[in-house]
Every structure is written in C-alpha cells, then in structure tokens.
Amino acid sequence: MHRTTIERLNQINRDFYRATAAEFDATRQAAWRGWERLLAEIDLPVESALDLGCGNGRFALFLAARQAQPFRYIGVDFNADLLAHARRQLSELAKLDTMMIERDIVLTGLPDHSAQLVTLFGLIHHVPGFARRRELIASAADCVAPGGYLALAAWRFYEQERFRRRIVPWGGDIAVEKHDYLLDWRRGQRALRYCHYVDDDEHAELIAASGLSVIADFRADGAEGDLNRYTVLRKN
C-alpha cells in the first residue's frame, strides 16, 4: 500500500476517535471476556505490560484486579482524550507504575520500551496495509522481554451480519487492499472508521512474522463468543 493511502486511512481513524472519544470511553468500560482466557495461558504475575493501542486503559484495570503484585504499565495510543481518560482511572491504583505515551504507531513506529507482556487489542484492524501490519507484529515481538508474551486479538467483524450492514462504500479514488472497509459508527454522533478484516490466511502470516512460539489460539468475545481471534505467543 502506498504511503499516501496509509496516511489517508490513518487520518480517517484519527478523525473518528477525535469525534467519538467521550462516547467510546463511556461504552468501553467492561473487560473483554477473552482476557480471562489469556491470563490462564500465561504465568502470573507479570512485572510489566506494554499495551499498544491502549485506548482508555481498561486492560490495565483488568490486569490490576487479577494480580496482587504491582507492575509497570506502559499505555500507547494516538488519541489524547482517551489517554486522559486512562490517566484519570489509573491514577487511583497505587500498584501501578504508569507511563502513558501519545504516539501514532502507524506512522512513527513503536516507542523504545520492552515488557514481559505486550498486547495488541482493538488495534490490528486499524493498521492500513498488509506490509505495515506485518511490520507492526514483528516490531511488537521485538518489544517482548525474554521469556515474555505477545498477545493479539483480531476483530472478525466481517463474519457477522450486523457489522456488514454498517459497511459504506469507499468514495473518491482511494486504492484500498482486499478486506479494507469503511464502517459507520452509530452511537452518539455519526462517524466513519477504517477497519481491516484479518482472515485466517493473513492471521497465519502475521503470526509467522513475529518469530515467536504460539502457546494459545482461540476465539472469544461478543454475543456468540467468537468476535475476536486471539493468539498468545511466547519468546523463548
């Protein structure tokens, strides 16, 4: 995918989250059910977590509620309003050594930090271009400390009719790739977001790019328990 197209698609999502941050925070407080399964697959407690695309920091709250030991949490997101929501919530947790980083990782890459647990939840479908997604997974794997874990979830929205009904046509001359879609947001004010559907073939290629060992692969979340495909990997 051409750099100009990547920038255009990324800007759609920057505009989307700028318009919907308050509503997104209000409706995104509950933990994902798949996170419980995730923690069953790794060795707790974790000493550090790097949460890429952290949004309002709800994974940090979830993890803090499930281990007594303190840990370092680094949350990275490109939306300042969501990061502000995260800071307010996490500031009340004495067990967290928190660092919040405002960074557009689609355009500028990952920050120079490592952690025992590196997560990508609600992120990979917003990364334009297969080559960019593969590069992101490889870079995230490099951030995993020895013996640590990389956990990602791919949103399988296209498999459900209720999300396919929200797809709107691309306008203009934008040259997208297979399984790139523009979805209508229907909570509060109307807004559009760019989302990519990661199918099984692409999922396998992304996992291979990590160079890490798969220890778990499962589906969870949503009304039918299969909305996200999780893969948990370990660095030897």
Side-chain angles (χ1 to χ4, degrees):
M1 181 176 284
H2 193 275
R3 170 82 181 191
T4 301
T5 304
I6 290 173
E7 291 174 350
R8 288 178 65 182
L9 295 176
N10 191 56
Q11 189 60 50
I12 288 172
N13 285 340
R14 290 186 66 93
D15 293 342
F16 169 80
Y17 283 103
R18 187 177 297 115
T20 64
E23 183 70 23
F24 198 88
D25 173 65
T27 59
R28 299 298 189 274
Q29 291 293 324
W32 293 4
R33 282 177 285 176
W35 293 347
E36 295 284 1
R37 172 79 181 271
L38 162 67
L39 293 193
E41 303 291 347
I42 69 176
D43 295 326
L44 292 178
V46 297
E47 296 178 354
S48 56
L50 173 60
D51 191 5
L52 302 173
C54 67
N56 62 1
R58 58 179 164 160
F59 179 71
L61 293 173
F62 167 81
L63 185 56
R66 280 153 181 79
Q67 68 172 52
Q69 294 83 348
F71 62 96
R72 178 167 175 74
Y73 174 79
I74 304 169
V76 184
D77 205 278
F78 67 8
N79 184 270
D81 291 333
L82 287 175
L83 288 174
H85 288 300
R87 288 189 184 96
R88 283 194 293 272
Q89 295 188 99
L90 302 183
S91 64
E92 301 175 4
L93 298 178
K95 70 170 65 176
L96 288 188
D97 174 14
T98 303
M99 175 185 294
M100 308 304 296
I101 300 174
E102 183 179 347
R103 187 181 182 96
D104 189 336
I105 62 178
V106 169
L107 301 182
T108 62
L110 301 185
D112 187 19
H113 291 281
S114 63
Q116 185 182 1
L117 173 62
V118 179
T119 61
L120 298 92
F121 301 136
L123 172 63
I124 198 68
H125 64 273
H126 279 332
V127 179
F130 171 69
R132 190 60 57 97
R133 289 188 291 275
R134 183 174 55 191
E135 178 184 348
L136 173 61
I137 296 299
S139 298
D142 289 340
C143 293
V144 179
Y149 305 91
L150 173 64
L152 65 93
W155 185 31
R156 306 299 286 264
F157 63 92
Y158 190 75
E159 299 169 14
Q160 298 198 3
E161 175 62 27
R162 68 188 181 98
F163 290 111
R164 289 198 298 272
R165 289 197 300 267
R166 298 184 186 184
I167 295 173
V168 300
W170 291 102
D173 60 350
I174 191 166
V176 297
E177 295 180 350
K178 179 183 178 181
H179 293 325
D180 283 343
Y181 299 102
L182 199 58
L183 267 63
D184 182 16
W185 169 267
R186 300 178 182 179
R187 290 180 179 271
Q189 72 176 52
R190 301 294 285 269
L192 297 175
R193 50 181 167 165
Y194 157 72
C195 297
H196 175 79
Y197 168 63
V198 177
D199 62 18
D200 286 338
D201 289 341
E202 181 179 349
H203 197 104
E205 292 189 66
L206 295 177
I207 295 309
S210 74
L212 305 183
S213 301
V214 176
I215 62 171
D217 191 279
F218 59 92
R219 299 283 290 263
D221 306 327
E224 299 178 359
D226 61 356
L227 188 56
N228 287 312
R229 179 178 173 183
Y230 289 81
T231 303
V232 185
L233 307 104
R234 186 164 192 172
K235 178 174 283 188
N236 297 325

